[in-house]
Amino acid sequence: MLRAVHGHDPLSLASSSMPEIQAFRGIRYNLGHVGSLSDVVAPPYDVIDETLQDDLYKKHPCNVVRLILNRIERDDDEANNRYIRAGRFLKNWREEGVLFQEADPAIYVYHQEFEAQGRVFLRRGFMSRVRLERFGQGMIFPHEQTLSKPKIDRMMLTAVCKANLSQVFGLYPDKSCEVQARLDAAIADQTPLVATDHLGVTHRLWPVTDLAVIAAVTAMMGPKPVFIADGHHRYETACDYRDQVYDSGFLNAEHPANYVLMQCVAMEDAGLVVLPTHRLLPDVPALSAGELAARLGDLFTTRPGGEEPGSAQAVWEDVETADRQGTLALYTRKDKLWTIVELTPAGQEKMDQVAADRDPSWRQLGVSILHRLILETLLAPGTDLQPKYVHLVDEVVEGLASGDYPLAALVMPATVDHIRQVSMAGQRMPAKSTYFYPK
């Protein structure tokens, strides 16, 4: 590695404020060693629970889960732990030829075909490396708050493996989808690499090494802002790791640590599906529906939604049909009732007061109304809330059946337009405001 000139801020090494994408020599599985790619793929670490982790371990001895989320063992210590094992697997697999590095720099066209909400979708994008810039200092924008624990975890993994093991998900505006059209034309007559994951999603990948195509895509992407849709923790970790490399004296303008692996998808892509993230809340007072209505006062209208956790699906269909950010459903364990609540003009005025530090676009989000107004102001002020986040209504029902949650909330997802508005205002949504499916 080349040693940087001391005294330079790492951010100054990138002179342009526009996003800079580059082709890169990716590291891929050797099909001659692993057979089917379907046996070695895995979703991002943050949606892998212990059951899925165990299933992926059993599926193939070289499944990527051993890199991105190695198991914690009973006798782990500083010399032998999940991060050290991940680094060892990465090193051994490269030496043994399980993994190989691309001969030429490439941009990777990436399609995902999947079923959601009773329809079949095709999400089209590409993977490249993107020059890092701190949020607020360029044209790459976050939209969600991050937590310290996942960033510490990802930093440990990055420091040991010195690699980006899963991509950040970025959105960019492109009304005519000209970037993707240029890439799709380049791979029209090529055979893709194909994998089907545990959810039945079909993934197709094409490396594009044509210099003219790469140059054209790079030029088209240059003036476009990029909004982080998923992978905020990985992106911020990449920035922190870059700064650590700089502090160690081993950073120049083209050092790989200046970049992060990113999947880029046009905001206008027909395959973008945003699912809700519902909340199970363990740290709020146990209220009845009547007591809940009294706490909400004239800030919300309330009406019965249904009885027992099992009516959640019908309740959610009611909320979805309303299609308003200010309409939510709350379940009170004390009397096993669902209540559908809708923000009133008085409630919006109160929201504007208690969230005066936020942009109007932020104050109109369902997740913002839930957290800032309902939970932090009316139901559990001063409480360090630790919700359990789930995406499927069936998961809400399952969680409520445990009896561990005095309150549950069904909330509308933020849209791509909301992400754009809030991000451009320089603000972030509450954690888990969006869930782009599939991961």
Side-chain angles (χ1 to χ4, degrees):
M1 291 183 288
L2 298 177
R3 186 174 296 274
V5 177
H6 292 281
H8 286 216
D9 188 291
L11 291 171
S12 69
L13 294 172
S15 59
S16 172
S17 63
M18 296 187 297
E20 179 189 334
I21 72 164
Q22 288 189 3
F24 68 102
R25 295 176 58 213
I27 296 172
R28 297 198 279 119
Y29 276 104
N30 182 340
L31 295 181
H33 275 263
V34 301
S36 172
L37 281 177
S38 299
D39 292 335
V40 293
V41 296
Y45 75 102
D46 56 345
V47 294
I48 300 176
D49 59 19
E50 288 187 15
T51 300
L52 178 55
Q53 184 186 46
D54 189 52
D55 290 343
L56 293 169
Y57 260 75
K58 293 175 181 176
K59 199 163 193 178
H60 196 284
C62 296
N63 188 284
V64 74
V65 72
R66 288 174 171 81
L67 303 183
I68 64 174
L69 193 67
N70 200 278
R71 273 200 295 233
I72 297 175
E73 304 292 351
R74 188 175 302 175
D75 57 349
D76 278 357
D77 54 30
E78 289 187 6
N80 184 38
N81 53 57
R82 67 195 310 181
Y83 309 108
I84 299 296
R85 285 191 294 276
R88 189 180 304 128
F89 275 121
L90 180 59
K91 178 177 181 292
N92 290 344
W93 291 353
R94 294 190 67 178
E95 291 177 348
E96 295 164 2
V98 174
L99 299 173
F100 72 96
Q101 188 163 24
E102 208 81 62
D104 299 307
I107 286 177
Y108 297 83
V109 177
Y110 181 35
H111 291 182
Q112 293 161 285
E113 187 175 352
F114 59 96
E115 185 175 341
Q117 301 167 332
R119 293 175 51 198
V120 175
F121 293 87
L122 177 65
R123 187 167 73 190
R124 303 176 305 149
F126 67 90
M127 281 185 260
S128 68
R129 70 176 191 171
V130 176
R131 187 180 287 276
L132 291 162
E133 54 187 39
R134 286 288 182 183
F135 295 141
Q137 298 183 351
M139 293 290 283
I140 298 178
F141 299 91
H143 83 269
E144 284 188 349
Q145 297 287 354
T146 56
L147 306 170
S148 59
K149 186 176 179 180
K151 286 190 285 188
I152 293 171
D153 168 61
R154 293 299 95 181
M155 176 59 82
M156 294 286 287
L157 185 62
T158 304
V160 172
C161 293
K162 296 180 171 58
N164 289 161
L165 299 174
S166 57
Q167 68 269 33
V168 174
F169 184 18
L171 300 175
Y172 63 93
D174 189 359
K175 289 183 179 179
S176 61
C177 292
E178 61 175 353
V179 174
Q180 194 64 42
R182 183 72 175 87
L183 286 166
D184 285 352
I187 53 93
D189 60 349
Q190 297 181 22
T191 302
L193 298 159
V194 182
T196 302
D197 66 22
H198 69 295
L199 296 175
V201 179
T202 300
H203 306 258
R204 297 183 177 91
L205 188 76
W206 297 261
V208 175
T209 57
D210 185 293
L211 295 178
V213 175
I214 292 171
V217 170
T218 301
M220 286 188 284
M221 286 295 296
K224 299 180 185 298
V226 173
F227 303 89
I228 304 299
D230 188 54
H232 289 80
H233 295 97
R234 280 166 275 163
Y235 187 90
E236 291 187 13
T237 296
C239 289
D240 293 340
Y241 179 71
R242 176 202 58 186
D243 293 350
Q244 287 191 11
V245 175
Y246 171 79
D247 290 340
S248 69
F250 287 96
L251 189 71
N252 71 347
E254 296 308 314
H255 190 287
N258 285 297
Y259 300 87
V260 69
L261 176 62
M262 186 178 292
Q263 173 193 358
C264 299
V265 174
M267 286 179 154
E268 296 79 7
D269 185 78
L272 276 180
V273 174
V274 188
L275 298 183
T277 302
H278 305 305
R279 273 72 169 158
L280 295 163
L281 296 143
D283 304 312
V284 295
L287 303 172
S288 66
E291 292 166 336
L292 172 67
R295 292 278 192 105
L296 298 179
D298 65 350
L299 306 184
F300 292 85
T301 61
T302 62
R303 57 185 173 86
E307 299 180 1
E308 302 290 340
S311 62
Q313 188 60 57
V315 173
W316 173 239
E317 289 174 2
D318 192 325
V319 172
E320 271 196 310
T321 301
D323 194 22
R324 288 188 292 268
Q325 290 287 313
T327 300
L328 306 89
L330 301 174
Y331 177 84
T332 46
R333 183 186 64 190
K334 189 173 182 179
D335 52 7
K336 300 181 179 180
L337 293 177
W338 285 98
T339 301
I340 295 175
V341 307
E342 184 169 350
L343 191 69
T344 65
Q348 186 61 64
E349 183 177 344
K350 182 65 173 179
M351 180 66 180
D352 292 340
Q353 293 174 4
V354 300
D357 58 327
R358 299 293 184 175
D359 184 79
S361 61
W362 188 96
R363 299 198 293 261
Q364 294 173 6
L365 293 172
V367 288
S368 301
I369 294 166
L370 172 64
H371 284 272
R372 182 64 66 91
L373 182 56
I374 295 178
L375 297 175
E376 297 174 13
T377 302
L378 301 176
L379 300 187
T383 303
D384 181 20
L385 295 172
Q386 300 291 332
K388 179 179 180 180
Y389 302 103
V390 296
H391 306 295
L392 302 178
V393 173
D394 286 347
E395 292 175 310
V396 175
V397 175
E398 182 181 343
L400 290 175
S402 70
D404 295 335
Y405 304 100
L407 189 75
L410 305 179
V411 57
M412 289 291 290
T415 67
V416 172
D417 283 340
H418 291 136
I419 291 174
R420 189 201 310 257
Q421 294 166 11
V422 173
S423 299
M424 293 299 288
Q427 299 188 348
R428 301 198 195 192
M429 300 177 185
K432 307 298 182 182
S433 295
T434 56
Y435 181 67
F436 286 88
Y437 183 84
K439 280 270 195 174

